[in-house]
Amino acid sequence: MTDADPNVLPDKRRIAASFSRAAASYDGVAGLQRAVGAELLARLPAAMRAQRWVDLGSGTGHFSQALAERFPAGQGMALDLAEGMLRHARPRGGAAHFVCGDAECLPLAGASQDLLFSSLALQWCGDFAAVLGEAHRVLRPGGVFAFSSLCVGTLQELHDSWQAVDGFVHVNRFRRFRDYRQLCADSGLDILDLHMETRLLYYRDLRQLTHELKALGAHNLNPGRPDGLTGRARLLALVEAYERLRTPAGLPATWLPVYGVLRRRLE
């Protein structure tokens, strides 16, 4: 995948609507999302105590529940851009408050939170420096910002297969790991952990992969995508191109999650 400008991202209203529509189907296909979030949760400082925490980009509330179990004496907030996700999550509990909000402009008071936890949501934010600035603002001294996101190279096989068919943008854009590293270094927060890993998943066929992306609400939302329905001839050409990558395990799809654990300095 080329190093596309990560600031050229979909309109947030489109993102919110897509994930709202996916609320009912999300959990059924969120195996990777669960695994990445569990890894991020395991990387929180072992001795930390969070009286006030936020699940940022909370989705269906899976990790709001996990955070409530991890910090039973704390009070949590599930915050998401998609109203549909919040409606789906609210009956499941976990958080004390369910708030519609934007990670780039948090509806939270300064120095009010002990933990901001965000798993596989911030790749939708065009201005990651603003996200880090907001984390610095709302965390108490000693508070932790833990996030996972996705890097360039995610869904590389799908991107390359589409490139063999046409020149349109069919795969969502992601930041480079070095961009995450530089932005975190410039944030004023101390970096406790920042690394990228490779997760290779296999799919029975292309339909399984594209169905999963749609059910997650993470199908192609980028500017530059082709308008209207994708023609049958192009779809057949895509299948043919992707099939050249088939292994005995199935069709491969690379995912490159980045994990970050940052702390606001004691003052």
Side-chain angles (χ1 to χ4, degrees), residues 111 131-139 187-189 264-265 267:
V131 174
L132 291 165
E134 282 293 86
H136 190 282
R137 180 182 68 81
V138 306
L139 285 173
S187 69
L189 299 166
R264 182 173 173 181
R265 296 167 189 161
E267 299 172 351

Side-chain angles (χ1 to χ4, degrees), residues 51-113:
Q51 291 299 315
R52 295 178 67 88
W53 54 263
V54 178
D55 183 7
L56 186 55
S58 53
T60 61
H62 177 86
F63 287 106
S64 298
Q65 294 173 298
L67 288 165
E69 292 174 7
R70 174 75 180 265
F71 305 110
Q75 183 179 75
M77 174 185 294
L79 191 148
D80 202 281
L81 191 64
E83 289 273 12
M85 284 292 190
L86 293 168
R87 286 194 299 270
H88 186 85
R90 190 173 286 108
R92 304 175 68 173
H97 307 285
F98 294 81
V99 176
C100 188
D102 185 344
E104 294 175 28
C105 187
L106 292 171
L108 300 169
S112 63
Q113 305 297 320

Side-chain angles (χ1 to χ4, degrees), residues 124-213:
W124 300 108
C125 293
D127 189 350
F128 192 65
V131 174
L132 291 165
E134 282 293 86
H136 190 282
R137 180 182 68 81
V138 306
L139 285 173
R140 293 169 175 164
V144 168
F145 175 38
F147 73 89
S148 65
S149 188
L150 294 168
C151 295
V152 165
T154 293
L155 298 175
Q156 186 71 46
E157 299 85 355
L158 182 59
H159 174 273
D160 291 346
S161 296
W162 267 122
Q163 286 301 297
V165 175
D166 63 30
F168 286 110
V169 177
H170 291 274
V171 178
N172 290 317
R173 295 180 172 97
F174 305 106
R175 286 183 185 82
R176 300 165 296 190
F177 177 68
R178 65 177 179 267
D179 294 330
Y180 282 108
R181 187 170 52 208
Q182 187 63 56
L183 288 164
C184 289
D186 293 342
S187 69
L189 299 166
D190 291 330
I191 300 174
L192 305 183
D193 181 21
L194 185 64
H195 74 281
M196 184 183 73
E197 68 175 11
T198 300
R199 289 179 180 255
L200 190 59
L201 303 184
Y202 294 92
Y203 295 85
R204 180 180 61 254
D205 51 30
L206 180 61
R207 183 185 297 271
Q208 183 187 12
L209 172 58
T210 56
H211 169 76
E212 180 175 302
L213 293 174

Side-chain angles (χ1 to χ4, degrees), residues 41-49 70-71:
L41 194 63
R43 290 182 175 276
L44 294 179
M48 91 168 287
R49 300 287 182 267
R70 174 75 180 265
F71 305 110

